[in-house]
Amino acid sequence: MAQAEKDGYIFYPGLTCFPSILGHEFSGVVVEAGKDARDKRTNKPFKGGEAVTSEEMLWCGQCSPCADGQPNHCEQLNEVGFNVNGAYTKYILLPVRTIWSLESLRKNYKEADIFIAGSLVEPTSVTYNAVIERGGGIHPGDRAVIPGGGPVGIAAYAILKRAGASQVIISETQQERADMALKLGADYHVNPAKEDFADRVLVITNGMGADMFMEATGLPAVVYPGIERVIWEGRTLLSTVVVTARAEAKMPVTGEVLQVRKARIVGAQGHSGHGNFPRVIECMATGMNMTPMSTKKIKLEELPENIIKLQTNRSECKITYVAK
Ligand SMILES: [Zn+2]
């Protein structure tokens, strides 16, 4: 949101309404709950003191997509930290429908790490929704290629390894991001600035290509031709390309490649519904530790300088504001 296009307009193309307090990937403790606010984990009212996280999308629950079970496509959407006040603050008021308990993390995480992990549930759920819900998941033994080592791309390695991928390949130009992906489960790193992406993927996969690709770069015009070549020249049929990064740029697609290779491209948006949040929390509770993604902890006063720095310096994976 702080990043500008060449003409000075905001780079982010999604819903915003300023001024609003930023912060949309967060966790905290229930301080006070309405009498009808029920904890989905226990099916009992919140008592106060529970560790929780929240979806960022305040889907309305009443529009046609919501009523039809498609909350990620809500027609009356509000977004925490985008058009309503977000989490860079001490207290935040949220509807109980978007709140999910983090109490199951207590068994395997230290107190402070429960909240770090909790702040990573939202981006991890974006990925879960993309590769599992929209992309249809993978079979154990499948291969996956993820161009883009940002947080959503990095979460994909963890989820796909958890789902049984035999080879997960990251394509990323920045070494720090590649190292993070390797730490969280990626098997191979391709640097498209130094080597040909498609050639290298075909060598690593012994000419097979991949079952799953997730476009998480937001640069489809740059990245898609390489993906298309892997689908065309690789021997895997039925590949799925999931488009998950937002970008206004056109994607140069050759329809014939999709026909001949029986491949498909699907779009994925959002993190709500479909059991995404509770499943990600249970994965985290049982060994899928995403906390290494939080590479820097800062105080509230340090937020502005770090947001400005992130526009040009992406060496940190996630910078986390910790309230105390
Ligand atoms: Zn709605």
Side-chain angles (χ1 to χ4, degrees):
M1 277 186 266
Q3 199 170 347
E5 291 267 24
K6 280 188 225 91
D7 56 13
Y9 285 101
I10 183 170
F11 182 79
Y12 177 75
L15 172 72
T16 54
C17 183
F18 301 123
S20 76
I21 298 171
L22 304 184
H24 66 273
E25 300 174 359
F26 59 99
S27 59
V29 172
V30 175
V31 176
E32 210 180 303
K35 66 174 169 47
D36 296 326
R38 213 164 258 269
D39 183 343
K40 292 186 271 293
R41 180 169 180 261
T42 59
N43 200 25
K44 295 199 170 78
F46 277 108
K47 290 190 276 240
E50 296 92 344
V52 293
T53 185
S54 172
E55 298 165 40
E56 167 268 345
M57 304 175 81
L58 304 181
W59 40 276
C60 77
Q62 295 170 39
C63 70
S64 175
C66 279
D68 204 25
Q70 306 294 341
N72 291 315
H73 303 273
C74 175
E75 290 170 346
Q76 300 294 331
L77 185 68
N78 286 307
E79 292 187 74
V80 176
F82 290 75
N83 75 322
V84 299
N85 284 338
Y88 291 165
T89 177
K90 195 167 178 186
Y91 300 104
I92 183 166
L93 178 67
L94 291 159
V96 75
R97 68 181 180 279
T98 63
I99 299 285
W100 294 93
S101 174
L102 297 171
E103 289 295 318
S104 62
L105 271 62
R106 290 207 183 271
K107 198 173 153 213
N108 291 325
Y109 290 77
K110 285 183 284 183
E111 176 79 10
D113 284 343
I114 291 170
F115 297 101
I116 300 292
S119 75
L120 296 165
V121 172
E122 192 261 25
T124 307
S125 296
V126 169
T127 304
Y128 194 100
N129 183 66
V131 296
I132 305 295
E133 170 61 24
R134 286 294 296 134
I138 59 163
H139 290 99
D142 279 358
R143 300 176 182 85
V145 177
I146 317 292
V152 168
I154 284 177
Y157 315 123
I159 289 169
L160 291 166
K161 282 312 273 189
R162 179 78 183 232
S166 58
Q167 291 178 310
V168 183
I169 304 168
I170 166 189
S171 172
E172 169 62 49
T173 54
Q174 283 198 35
Q175 194 58 45
E176 293 95 336
R177 291 196 153 191
D179 290 343
M180 180 61 63
L182 293 166
K183 198 167 165 183
L184 283 170
D187 300 295
Y188 298 93
H189 167 221
V190 175
N191 185 341
K194 292 186 182 158
E195 53 199 340
D196 185 89
F197 164 81
D199 284 348
R200 187 87 174 95
V201 170
L202 288 166
V203 167
I204 293 168
T205 61
N206 202 20
M208 289 306 292
D211 301 272
M212 173 78 69
F213 299 83
M214 187 176 87
E215 203 304 87
T217 63
L219 302 166
V222 178
V223 168
Y224 189 75
I227 293 174
E228 188 173 78
R229 229 193 96 209
V230 174
I231 294 173
W232 185 244
E233 294 180 27
R235 291 175 49 229
T236 300
L237 296 176
L238 293 156
S239 297
T240 299
V241 182
V242 185
V243 179
T244 184
R246 297 203 68 145
E248 284 183 285
K250 297 254 189 241
M251 204 160 137
V253 178
T254 310
E256 193 195 7
V257 173
L258 302 180
Q259 289 175 295
V260 174
R261 309 309 297 158
K262 218 174 175 184
R264 62 182 188 148
I265 302 171
V266 299
Q269 167 172 285
H271 51 258
S272 292
H274 313 291
N276 294 327
F277 256 58
R279 287 192 177 113
V280 163
I281 291 167
E282 287 314 300
C283 283
M284 287 183 175
T286 55
M288 193 176 82
N289 183 10
M290 308 300 289
T291 59
M293 279 173 74
S294 171
T295 50
K296 187 178 178 186
K297 318 284 186 285
I298 58 167
K299 296 191 205 112
L300 189 62
E301 308 81 76
E302 297 169 297
L303 270 166
E305 63 189 87
N306 279 281
I307 284 172
I308 290 162
K309 197 177 155 198
L310 272 172
Q311 293 172 46
T312 49
N313 183 339
R314 303 238 161 120
S315 57
E316 300 292 346
C317 182
K318 281 279 180 197
I319 300 174
T320 310
Y321 152 45
V322 179
K324 53 179 174 181

